[in-house]
Amino acid sequence: MEKKQISFELSIYEDVSELSQSEQKLLHAAEQARENAYAPYSNFQVGAAVLLANGETVIGSNQENASYPSGLCAERVAVFQAGARYPKIPLKILAISARSKDHLVDLPAAPCGNCRQSIMEYEQNQKSPIVILLKAEKGPIYKCSSMADILPLAFNSSFLGDS
Ligand code: THU
């Protein structure tokens, strides 16, 4: 029997001023995008902004529905939009900003499992990592170097065979 340790490096920043100018700008775009969240059921508002290799920024926010599972997270709204508008352009950084209308969120909310799975496929296809920047309304900023880091043992199309 063999045991394997799987770990990843999480960078934790106390303040946005510790980030690069482009990271700060992207986080700000995610915060602005959050204002357009449609979240009347959860009151949990999430904004996402993706920086593409061509310099474009694509945003998204969570969009809920009276039929709850029909809604979509901010991350997938942004990344799917990036895929639809710029299909061949790699995604460099995904910034995510979350807040609640009901309580103070002071720790970054990381992408849900469905978003990790969806975004992982873009990362694998482009063969370069997508950096993930996370921030709540208050508190630290988390930076992960890739989606693979936070989705170990990911399922992918290779398991489906050659066809
Ligand atoms: N949500 C996101 O948009 N991103 C996340 O990473 C976690 C959750 C949304 C989905 C739903 O609209 C609300 O937050 C509460 O789960």
Side-chain angles (χ1 to χ4, degrees), residues 2-127:
E2 185 196 348
K3 283 196 180 180
K4 221 174 198 173
Q5 197 78 34
I6 301 178
S7 63
F8 80 100
E9 194 176 81
L10 178 69
S11 303
I12 302 174
Y13 303 88
E14 269 181 36
D15 192 80
V16 281
S17 60
E18 296 170 60
L19 302 174
S20 71
Q21 288 293 324
S22 63
E23 288 170 337
Q24 289 185 36
K25 218 173 128 194
L26 198 67
L27 211 40
H28 186 64
E31 276 165 4
Q32 282 187 317
R34 200 184 62 199
E35 297 304 312
N36 290 337
Y38 175 63
Y41 304 103
S42 71
N43 276 340
F44 193 73
Q45 302 173 307
V46 187
V50 194
L51 178 66
L52 306 178
N54 64 359
E56 293 286 336
T57 297
V58 176
I59 57 158
S61 54
N62 56 327
Q63 301 295 318
E64 298 186 347
N65 190 274
S67 172
Y68 292 1
S70 300
L72 200 60
C73 294
E75 295 89 324
R76 273 176 290 164
V77 170
V79 169
F80 288 167
Q81 192 191 169
R85 291 179 61 190
Y86 303 101
K88 300 271 182 321
I89 311 295
L91 316 177
K92 305 278 279 183
I93 310 175
L94 169 63
I96 302 160
S97 168
R99 77 177 281 268
S100 169
K101 280 174 127 175
D102 298 331
H103 61 275
L104 179 69
V105 182
D106 56 7
L107 275 181
C112 77
N114 280 319
C115 286
R116 293 182 201 202
Q117 179 66 32
S118 297
I119 298 166
M120 184 68 184
E121 187 144 335
Y122 289 79
E123 183 169 280
Q124 284 185 334
N125 286 345
Q126 71 184 33
K127 297 185 178 64

Side-chain angles (χ1 to χ4, degrees), residues 116-159:
R116 293 182 201 202
Q117 179 66 32
S118 297
I119 298 166
M120 184 68 184
E121 187 144 335
Y122 289 79
E123 183 169 280
Q124 284 185 334
N125 286 345
Q126 71 184 33
K127 297 185 178 64
S128 63
I130 301 170
V131 171
I132 300 153
L133 268 182
L134 306 168
K135 190 181 177 298
E137 211 176 349
K138 252 192 105 193
I141 299 115
Y142 289 174
K143 179 155 94 173
C144 313
S145 307
S146 74
M147 186 52 79
D149 277 358
I150 59 169
L151 190 62
L153 302 183
F155 182 79
N156 61 52
S157 63
S158 71
F159 294 100

